[in-house]
Amino acid sequence: DEVRRVLEKDREGTESSGKEGSKPAWAMYRRKADRRRDLRAMLRGARILVAPLDWGLGHAARCVPVVQALLEQGSLPVIGADKGALALLRDAFPAVEAVRIPGMEVRYGSGRSQAWAMARQFPAMLRQVHEEHAWLARNRGRLQLDAVVSDQRFGLHSPALPSVLITHQVFP
């Protein structure tokens, strides 16, 4: 329906405007194969930092298919993690470059709710975000990064690089 509406609006616009050579609105709807080809070309040879949070192994496990997909597209992923997450990803991808990005020691509460335990650690979490951001600023040139994919590491982004945040902390 959306495509049909855009096409009809475009037909009306080009007839009334008389603009010769203007790009029709439907040009933005390219074939999926064309978009996939463009994505492959963009990713081929790109050095992309993949950096999961190291609070357990869930974030690292979630990054395994991300690294695999990047490899399939011809990218050169660089794994950035600490402790168990780094070990898991190095074990899964022994040929992929890996760097240690220091993480934070999080302490979980003993009860059902983790809210109070997390609230007490919030200042340290904010410091960690700033430290991650500084780490990326210091190391992105040395690592020759083209992009960043971080899983719940809010400090790993740069205005100079395309940066993607994988998160499960989204509220409606």
Side-chain angles (χ1 to χ4, degrees):
D1 286 346
E2 176 68 17
V3 173
R4 189 175 293 119
R5 189 181 60 72
V6 168
L7 289 172
E8 288 171 5
K9 193 172 185 177
D10 179 58
R11 242 183 264 118
E12 293 168 9
T14 53
E15 289 172 8
S16 62
S17 69
K19 290 183 184 176
E20 196 69 33
S22 65
K23 215 174 203 182
W26 55 264
M28 67 181 181
Y29 295 100
R30 297 182 316 160
R31 289 184 24 231
K32 276 186 182 179
D34 292 339
R35 289 194 306 266
R36 267 193 224 111
R37 190 172 29 255
D38 291 348
L39 181 62
R40 269 192 219 108
M42 182 178 70
L43 291 174
R44 191 172 298 117
R47 292 180 54 83
I48 301 173
L49 178 67
V50 178
L53 187 66
D54 58 346
W55 297 6
L57 299 178
H59 297 279
R62 188 163 56 183
C63 285
V64 169
V66 173
V67 173
Q68 186 63 46
L70 290 171
L71 288 168
E72 289 169 3
Q73 296 299 318
S75 295
L76 303 170
V78 177
I79 295 167
D82 198 11
K83 300 180 182 136
L86 183 59
L88 183 142
L89 291 170
R90 275 186 171 156
D91 188 47
F93 303 100
V96 171
E97 181 180 353
V99 295
R100 182 178 169 270
I101 302 175
M104 179 186 142
E105 284 290 329
V106 67
R107 290 173 302 283
Y108 294 101
S110 57
R112 283 186 64 190
S113 173
Q114 297 298 317
W116 183 242
M118 293 297 127
R120 284 194 316 257
Q121 297 174 81
F122 191 70
M125 291 176 191
L126 288 177
R127 277 192 304 278
Q128 180 65 29
V129 168
H130 291 290
E131 289 169 11
E132 289 172 355
H133 195 69
W135 182 94
L136 184 59
R138 283 191 315 271
N139 290 287
R140 78 176 176 88
R142 179 181 63 82
L143 294 172
Q144 300 175 337
L145 297 175
D146 297 304
V148 176
V149 176
S150 69
D151 186 327
Q152 208 66 24
R153 293 191 86 153
F154 294 98
L156 291 177
H157 62 87
S158 170
L161 296 174
S163 303
V164 175
L165 174 68
I166 301 171
T167 184
H168 57 274
Q169 302 297 326
V170 178
F171 299 98

